[in-house]
């Protein structure tokens, strides 16, 4: 793995952030691979994602012997979300912004910071912006805020606006943390492990799908029982305030905020996007259902819809489903980008 670099910039938080339009000394964690003179591709992290887990099957020979975005041909930039534990987050920021005092940041804050990073690296235009989940939402936001900067946008299991159903789902895991005895309103001295454990258990059901459970897909990973799988993959971890910071960003996702004259009209906001767009939901995703993606594509000037047919729910979009799911994602991205 490469050394993690940090792009430091004092930013003015967005009008939707809390506190709004306040100066904040931000650090953006990132990796780069390849020559800056090559076509640039940006891959942002997702909820709970790290730089090393962000779509390595697309560019790393360690995960794919013949990746479609090799650093020999592309300049790959991987960035970490604010609040994700690597970039500025409640868990790693000094007072007065530490812990529960960390600002509530938006996708706009993240995308504007990424855009500034690209400028510092000499990138004047992105050949592709590819994101999964919260990364897919960032792809929509970058393409909306900087319509001439993104040539090709690929959204894997994400959306242009967080639906009310999605927002309400997130209230479940959020309350699992804030109602736990060891959370202490975010001022915990030791990690809020009880809350994080409860958070993971609530989150696990939604990350997968009814079909996944019906087909006993945990057996495909070598587990004899569902409980063994849950104990291995969904038993807590991370930092409680970091988890909440990202949830807030996710819940506030909405590209119509950049065009207030549209009065929240998503169709009008989508029509402003100039990039060629590939929208790829998972058939069994409970966060970002395919129907929502189909409706979005109707209003994109240059949009294509491809669905991942899988029982592995939301996580399939990030390369964590079956082998054939990831192979399908790779095939469609290669076709779309004509590479």
């Amino acid at each position: 793995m490469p050394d993690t670099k940090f792009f430091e910039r004092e930013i003015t938080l967005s009008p939707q952030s809390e506190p709004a339009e306040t100066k904040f000394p931000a650090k953006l964690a990132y990796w780069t691979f390849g020559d800056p003179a090559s076509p640039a591709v940006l891959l942002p992290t997702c909820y709970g994602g790290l730089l090393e887990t962000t779509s390595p099957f697309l560019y790393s020979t360690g995960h794919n012997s013949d990746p479609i975005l090799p650093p020999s041909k592309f300049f790959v930039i991987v960035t970490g979300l604010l609040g994700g534990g690597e970039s500025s987050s409640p868990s790693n920021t000094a007072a007065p912004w530490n812990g529960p005092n960390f600002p509530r940041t938006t996708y706009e804050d993240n995308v504007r910071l990424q855009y500034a990073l690209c400028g510092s690296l000499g990138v004047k235009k992105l050949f592709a912006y590819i994101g999964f989940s919260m990364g897919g939402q960032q792809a929509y936001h970058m393409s909306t805020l900087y319509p001439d900067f993104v040539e090709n946008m690929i959204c894997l299991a994400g959306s242009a606006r967080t639906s009310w159903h999605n927002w309400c789902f997130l209230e479940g895991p959020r309350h699992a943390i804030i109602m736990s005895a060891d959370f202490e309103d975010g001022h915990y001295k030791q990690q809020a492990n009880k809350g994080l454990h409860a958070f993971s258990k609530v989150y696990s059901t939604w990350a997968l799908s009814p079909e996944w459970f019906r087909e006993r897909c945990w057996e495909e990973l070598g587990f004899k029982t569902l409980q063994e799988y849950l104990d291995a993959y969904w038993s807590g971890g991370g930092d409680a305030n970091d988890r909440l910071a990202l949830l807030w960003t996710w819940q506030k996702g909405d590209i119509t905020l950049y065009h207030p004259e549209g009065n929240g009209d998503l169709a009008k906001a989508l029509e402003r996007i100039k990039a060629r767009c590939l929208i790829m939901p998972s058939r069994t995703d409970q966060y970002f259902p395919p129907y929502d993606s189909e409706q979005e594509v109707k209003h994109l000037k240059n949009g294509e819809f491809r669905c991942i047919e899988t029982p592995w729910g939301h996580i399939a979009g990030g390369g964590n489903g079956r082998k054939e799911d990831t192979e399908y994602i790779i095939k469609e991205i290669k076709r779309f980008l004509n590479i």
Side-chain angles (χ1 to χ4, degrees):
M1 294 185 294
D3 292 334
T4 298
K5 304 171 189 176
F6 293 92
F7 175 71
E8 299 185 33
R9 172 70 61 91
E10 184 177 72
I11 63 173
T12 300
L13 298 172
S14 74
Q16 288 74 42
S17 303
E18 296 180 9
E21 301 180 316
T22 300
K23 297 291 186 182
F24 175 68
K27 289 184 179 182
L28 178 63
Y30 70 99
W31 285 356
T32 60
F33 303 89
D35 186 343
S38 300
V41 178
L42 196 150
L43 307 170
T45 59
C46 64
Y47 189 86
L50 300 173
L51 298 176
E52 66 177 300
T53 62
T54 300
S55 304
F57 59 88
L58 292 177
Y59 68 85
S60 173
T61 54
H63 291 77
N64 187 334
S65 60
D66 186 25
I68 60 173
L69 298 172
S72 60
K73 296 180 180 179
F74 297 92
F75 182 49
V76 179
I77 308 165
V78 187
T79 61
L81 270 163
L82 295 171
E86 294 174 313
S87 295
S88 295
S89 303
S91 64
N92 63 20
T93 301
W97 300 106
N98 57 312
N101 303 315
F102 191 78
R104 293 180 171 180
T105 55
T106 63
Y107 284 128
E108 179 177 353
D109 299 321
N110 280 276
V111 163
R112 292 197 185 282
L113 196 54
Q114 293 166 14
Y115 181 77
L117 167 67
C118 288
S120 74
L121 296 172
V123 175
K124 297 181 179 180
K125 191 180 186 71
L126 287 174
F127 171 67
Y129 192 114
I130 306 172
F132 159 67
S133 190
M134 284 186 77
Q137 292 192 299
Q138 290 172 81
Y140 265 117
H141 283 256
M142 178 68 86
S143 300
T144 303
L145 278 169
Y146 300 102
D148 295 312
F149 184 61
V150 182
E151 184 177 345
N152 299 286
M153 181 273 269
I154 298 173
C155 174
L156 302 168
S159 67
R161 177 165 64 189
T162 299
S163 70
W164 286 116
H165 174 264
N166 195 336
W167 180 92
C168 195
F169 139 65
L170 293 170
E171 285 293 279
R174 185 174 78 86
H175 277 78
I177 290 179
I178 66 175
M179 300 301 289
S180 67
D182 56 353
F183 180 61
E184 300 180 17
D185 293 326
H187 295 280
Y188 46 86
K189 302 301 182 186
Q190 296 182 342
Q191 195 52 251
N193 289 320
K194 291 181 179 178
L196 288 166
H197 184 85
F199 169 94
S200 292
K201 289 297 186 284
V202 174
Y203 200 95
S204 64
T205 304
W206 286 91
L208 301 163
S209 75
E211 293 84 352
W212 188 92
F213 290 94
R214 189 179 304 122
E215 297 179 25
R216 303 172 65 92
C217 288
W218 60 85
E219 294 178 349
E220 297 178 18
L221 297 175
F223 295 101
K224 294 181 180 179
T225 68
L226 173 60
Q227 191 61 54
E228 288 179 358
Y229 165 77
L230 293 175
D231 289 343
Y233 283 86
W234 303 95
S235 291
D239 177 83
N241 283 319
D242 287 359
R243 291 279 189 256
L244 295 176
L246 286 181
L247 280 184
W248 197 91
T249 302
W250 184 347
Q251 287 185 309
K252 294 292 182 178
D254 184 356
I255 66 168
T256 70
L257 295 173
Y258 308 130
H259 306 293
E261 70 280 3
N263 295 315
D265 190 324
L266 182 59
K268 289 182 179 179
L270 290 166
E271 289 169 358
R272 293 173 181 261
I273 295 176
K274 297 180 180 180
R276 296 176 63 246
C277 302
L278 175 62
I279 311 303
M280 293 191 70
S282 163
R283 178 64 66 191
T284 51
D285 194 333
Q286 298 183 90
Y287 308 164
F288 307 103
Y291 177 81
D292 291 354
S293 297
E294 288 180 295
Q295 298 309 303
E296 290 172 352
V297 169
K298 289 179 181 179
H299 302 288
L300 291 168
K301 292 179 179 178
N302 297 293
E304 293 186 25
F305 175 90
R306 294 291 189 278
C307 194
I308 307 164
E309 301 295 341
T310 177
W312 278 76
H314 178 68
I315 66 173
N320 295 304
R322 288 171 173 162
K323 181 180 179 181
E324 54 264 37
D325 300 337
T326 304
E327 289 175 345
Y328 177 69
I329 292 170
I330 292 171
K331 182 187 74 172
E332 286 300 321
I333 291 178
K334 183 176 182 179
R335 174 198 61 80
F336 178 73
L337 297 177
N338 192 28
I339 54 178

